[in-house]
Amino acid sequence: MELTYQDKGNYFRGLLILIGKDNLIHEKERSGLLTICSKLGYEKNYCENAIQEFLDNNYIELSPPKFSNLETAEKFIKDAISISLVDKELHPSELEWLDQIVELNGIDKSMFEKLLVNSFPAN
């Protein structure tokens, strides 16, 4: 799947906002986002700096990302769920953020709910 420059930016920004929703960026969230950044073609230093400075950055656009197509939006949601659950907890602010993205991008709500249920770690 080839992403547009705008989709790449929205993908990174959307995940960055997601991992900061609980005002704490866990090392596993950082690592997961860095892996995705590499796949998006971003320089590691750029991503590390953005992650490090995110919680103090008052200028980042905080609106939910709108992707150019449904396939990209669905891939984003899958990655977002994976990253949000690395701490084995889905915070209410993270779920609210994901819901906004699902609605904005026209993702099937039942598919999203099924992904969530199937993604939770077994007890």
Side-chain angles (χ1 to χ4, degrees), residues 72-91:
T72 301
E74 289 175 345
K75 174 69 173 132
F76 173 86
I77 286 297
K78 290 174 185 175
D79 284 342
I81 290 170
S82 293
I83 285 180
S84 66
L85 291 175
V86 297
D87 60 357
K88 299 186 179 19
E89 183 178 353
L90 184 63
H91 299 274

Side-chain angles (χ1 to χ4, degrees), residues 98-116:
L98 294 174
D99 275 334
Q100 290 173 16
I101 296 166
V102 165
E103 185 172 327
L104 179 65
N105 286 279
I107 296 171
D108 181 87
K109 187 74 170 175
S110 63
M111 184 208 72
F112 171 61
E113 291 169 354
K114 183 184 257 186
L115 282 171
L116 279 175

Side-chain angles (χ1 to χ4, degrees), residues 13-28:
R13 183 181 61 82
L15 292 175
L16 183 59
I17 294 168
L18 175 69
I19 68 171
K21 278 293 181 181
D22 59 356
N23 293 314
L24 177 67
I25 298 177
H26 299 273
E27 185 54 41
K28 287 182 181 178

Side-chain angles (χ1 to χ4, degrees), residues 1-117:
M1 167 175 59
E2 187 68 29
L3 298 179
T4 66
Y5 289 115
Q6 185 172 4
D7 280 342
K8 286 179 183 182
N10 281 333
Y11 213 101
F12 175 59
R13 183 181 61 82
L15 292 175
L16 183 59
I17 294 168
L18 175 69
I19 68 171
K21 278 293 181 181
D22 59 356
N23 293 314
L24 177 67
I25 298 177
H26 299 273
E27 185 54 41
K28 287 182 181 178
E29 291 172 326
R30 176 187 305 272
S31 176
L33 184 51
L34 287 173
T35 298
I36 291 172
C37 280
S38 175
K39 291 177 183 176
L40 292 172
Y42 286 107
E43 292 291 325
K44 184 178 180 181
N45 287 339
Y46 169 77
C47 294
E48 286 176 339
N49 288 337
I51 293 168
Q52 183 176 344
E53 297 171 3
F54 174 74
L55 295 177
D56 296 325
N57 185 342
N58 296 323
Y59 300 103
I60 192 164
E61 173 60 45
L62 296 176
S63 62
K66 172 71 172 137
F67 295 100
S68 63
N69 59 66
L70 185 59
E71 181 184 12
T72 301
E74 289 175 345
K75 174 69 173 132
F76 173 86
I77 286 297
K78 290 174 185 175
D79 284 342
I81 290 170
S82 293
I83 285 180
S84 66
L85 291 175
V86 297
D87 60 357
K88 299 186 179 19
E89 183 178 353
L90 184 63
H91 299 274
S93 58
E94 293 172 334
L95 180 57
E96 181 182 331
W97 177 246
L98 294 174
D99 275 334
Q100 290 173 16
I101 296 166
V102 165
E103 185 172 327
L104 179 65
N105 286 279
I107 296 171
D108 181 87
K109 187 74 170 175
S110 63
M111 184 208 72
F112 171 61
E113 291 169 354
K114 183 184 257 186
L115 282 171
L116 279 175
V117 168

